[in-house]
Amino acid sequence: MASKKVQNALTNGRNSGEHKGYLIQIVNFNDPIDADHPLLRLALDERLLNMVAAYMGMWPQLHAIGSWLNSPGSGRQGFSAVASRPEDLKTVKVFIYLNDVGTKQGPFSFIGGSHPLGADCEQLPEHKHPRRVLDHEMIKTFPEERLTRCTGPAGTMIMADTVGYHCGGQVQEGHRLLVTFTYTSDSPQEKRKLTLTGQPTWRGSPIQDFALKN
Ligand SMILES: O=C(O)CCC(=O)C(=O)O
């Protein structure tokens, strides 16, 4: 199934049948995940959970797991707007690139300090679209050089507070394949997307149990 989606994406560049038409969801946020799935094991890696906890100041809950393929012409425009109802007041997303991502492969990019507890949290660019801030709107508040583009070879892992302004996926050449994990508090603003089939046979530390608890 996944390889058919990948083939289709690479041929047609886009899968408009998906909820997020600008990318192919190889693992959809709403797909149930097998309790022993390797991506779940990775998302519940204790070192990763501890890093997310250190940033959030609390043990996190695993909110969602996804895997995306972006190809040319499939990018969406502009930045996610701070006011666009993130999953939670503190949300950490992890992205792991599965192929080399340079500036032409739509790297995840963010404006440092624009998240709610950041130094620039009060800088709010005006925008017409309710959920997106277009580049020409953003530039009036945050100049181009404020944008950090997270390029890197396959295996690069990025952790970001995606309540701040961020963008990515506008591929000009080649493609971008990644896995992504979303972490929130245990009472997120948005209903948790993660559903498991079965119970993991391998987890057991308190922070791992907490990340999965209902
Ligand atoms: O595709 C990207 O790099 C950005 C992803 C994004 O906007 C999000 O997950 O909130």
Side-chain angles (χ1 to χ4, degrees):
M1 179 64 174
S3 65
K4 210 170 165 191
K5 278 190 187 179
V6 173
Q7 280 307 328
N8 188 40
L10 291 174
T11 312
N12 302 321
R14 156 177 198 103
N15 182 2
S16 55
E18 296 284 327
H19 165 58
K20 287 186 170 185
Y22 53 85
L23 55 77
I24 306 301
Q25 301 207 21
I26 293 164
V27 175
N28 188 306
F29 282 138
N30 300 314
D31 288 345
I33 299 273
D34 185 275
D36 284 323
H37 197 289
L39 284 184
L40 182 70
R41 287 187 85 128
L42 191 56
L44 293 181
D45 178 88
E46 276 194 79
R47 283 164 303 176
L48 187 53
L49 291 176
N50 278 311
M51 278 193 277
V52 175
Y55 175 74
M56 291 176 73
M58 64 183 110
W59 279 3
Q61 187 172 76
L62 178 62
H63 186 80
I65 291 180
S67 176
W68 305 339
L69 175 71
N70 297 93
S71 34
S74 67
R76 65 182 168 172
Q77 296 299 307
F79 294 75
S80 291
V82 167
S84 79
R85 292 196 63 237
E87 289 82 352
D88 205 359
L89 296 175
K90 273 191 178 179
T91 299
V92 170
K93 283 195 189 174
V94 166
F95 301 93
I96 302 171
Y97 293 153
L98 301 184
N99 67 306
D100 298 350
V101 175
T103 52
K104 293 193 170 166
Q105 284 77 49
F108 174 82
S109 304
F110 70 97
I111 296 177
S114 66
H115 56 289
L117 300 178
D120 291 322
C121 64
E122 285 173 12
Q123 305 286 328
L124 299 174
E126 287 182 12
H127 54 100
K128 289 201 177 126
H129 188 281
R131 295 177 70 92
R132 312 292 303 162
V133 183
L134 299 179
D135 294 357
H136 73 271
E137 295 169 325
M138 185 60 85
I139 221 157
K140 291 182 189 153
T141 305
F142 292 107
E144 170 76 21
E145 51 283 10
R146 288 292 307 272
L147 189 66
T148 301
R149 292 184 175 82
C150 301
T151 55
T156 296
M157 185 175 92
I158 300 151
M159 297 177 76
D161 180 338
T162 51
V163 186
Y165 292 114
H166 63 279
C167 61
Q170 294 87 6
V171 172
Q172 294 159 41
E173 258 179 47
H175 61 273
R176 184 188 69 163
L177 184 60
L178 56 74
V179 294
T180 177
F181 309 133
T182 305
Y183 303 91
T184 62
S185 73
D186 65 345
S187 51
Q189 298 200 120
E190 182 193 82
K191 191 173 174 301
R192 186 190 213 180
K193 292 178 177 141
L194 186 78
T195 50
L196 296 189
T197 49
Q199 280 296 317
T201 51
W202 48 272
R203 76 189 156 98
S205 77
I207 196 168
Q208 289 175 322
D209 283 343
F210 187 89
L212 278 186
K213 88 177 171 63
N214 289 319

